[in-house]
Amino acid sequence: MENFSELNLNESLRHSLSRMQFKIPTPIQAQAIPPALLGKDVLGTAQTGTGKTLCYGIACLNKLLIDKSSGALIVCPTRELAIQVGEVLSGLIEPKMNIKAATLIGGESMQKQLKQLRRRPRLIIGTPGRLNDHLQRKSLRLNETYFLVLDETDRMLDMGFTPQIEKILKY
């Protein structure tokens, strides 16, 4: 893959990538995006700043645009990374795409997050602890989640999040 226009993407997403001036994929993007678009599991490792978020972000948003009933969950080890991922993906989402997102992280107002969840977002980004909190409260349902991303999985495992991730996966 030499440029993003070679991908079989939803027209709105192609427009969004063009608007953000993404033209030539990085090596990790060229390798990871095509199989992710086919729904295959991908394990990607690359240095910071190589565009890994866009790897799964493009495939995730394309799936949500094609299948209006599916959802996506992105699990991040820290609040800061969850916020950063949310900002990157929000930059790709255009109003006409009709994809609502929610960022569920500790240290933020639970009321604000419950309000976000009442809007029925199909893209959920969060940290393990807060995601489990919402699952226990039954304010978050993952039964229609098709797309799952464990961002910085090695770091989450090092931080002791294995039991929390396993609980999330049960849903």
Side-chain angles (χ1 to χ4, degrees):
M1 177 175 92
E2 299 199 11
N3 61 56
F4 288 109
S5 62
E6 292 177 31
L7 297 171
N8 184 24
L9 297 177
N10 176 283
E11 184 180 334
S12 297
L13 187 53
R14 274 199 316 269
H15 178 268
S16 184
L17 287 168
S18 176
R19 173 182 50 81
M20 295 183 74
Q21 300 184 353
F22 289 122
K23 294 178 177 121
I24 300 171
T26 64
I28 185 77
Q29 292 168 344
Q31 289 182 319
I33 295 172
L37 286 171
L38 296 173
K40 297 187 181 204
D41 291 343
V42 176
L43 174 62
T45 304
Q47 289 181 309
T48 300
T50 55
K52 293 183 298 291
T53 302
L54 210 56
C55 286
Y56 63 75
I58 288 172
C60 172
L61 293 175
N62 199 64
K63 175 63 179 173
L64 295 179
L65 288 165
I66 291 169
D67 182 356
K68 305 286 186 207
S69 65
S70 71
L73 174 65
I74 301 170
V75 185
C76 301
T78 65
R79 299 174 47 201
E80 295 76 20
L81 182 59
I83 290 167
Q84 179 184 336
V85 167
E87 289 171 352
V88 168
L89 297 185
S90 292
L92 286 172
I93 298 171
E94 296 185 352
K96 66 180 176 181
M97 290 180 176
N98 198 26
I99 296 175
K100 294 181 188 88
T103 302
L104 308 177
I105 56 176
E108 292 286 322
S109 162
M110 184 60 79
Q111 291 306 319
K112 177 183 167 190
Q113 292 177 11
L114 291 170
K115 186 177 177 183
Q116 286 182 60
L117 289 170
R118 282 193 289 273
R119 294 175 42 230
R120 301 183 49 90
R122 293 192 301 134
L123 175 60
I124 305 290
I125 303 156
T127 53
R130 187 51 64 102
L131 289 168
N132 273 302
D133 193 3
H134 280 287
L135 289 167
Q136 287 174 339
R137 292 171 180 252
K138 297 189 180 355
S139 53
L140 174 62
R141 296 182 191 262
L142 299 175
N143 55 318
E144 293 180 351
T145 300
Y146 173 84
F147 208 96
L148 171 67
V149 175
L150 300 174
D151 199 341
E152 295 192 8
T153 308
D154 55 340
R155 191 163 168 208
M156 283 194 281
L157 298 177
D158 289 344
M159 294 170 74
F161 285 132
T162 303
Q164 290 176 311
I165 292 170
E166 287 175 348
K167 280 184 187 175
I168 292 166
L169 295 177
K170 286 180 184 174
Y171 286 88

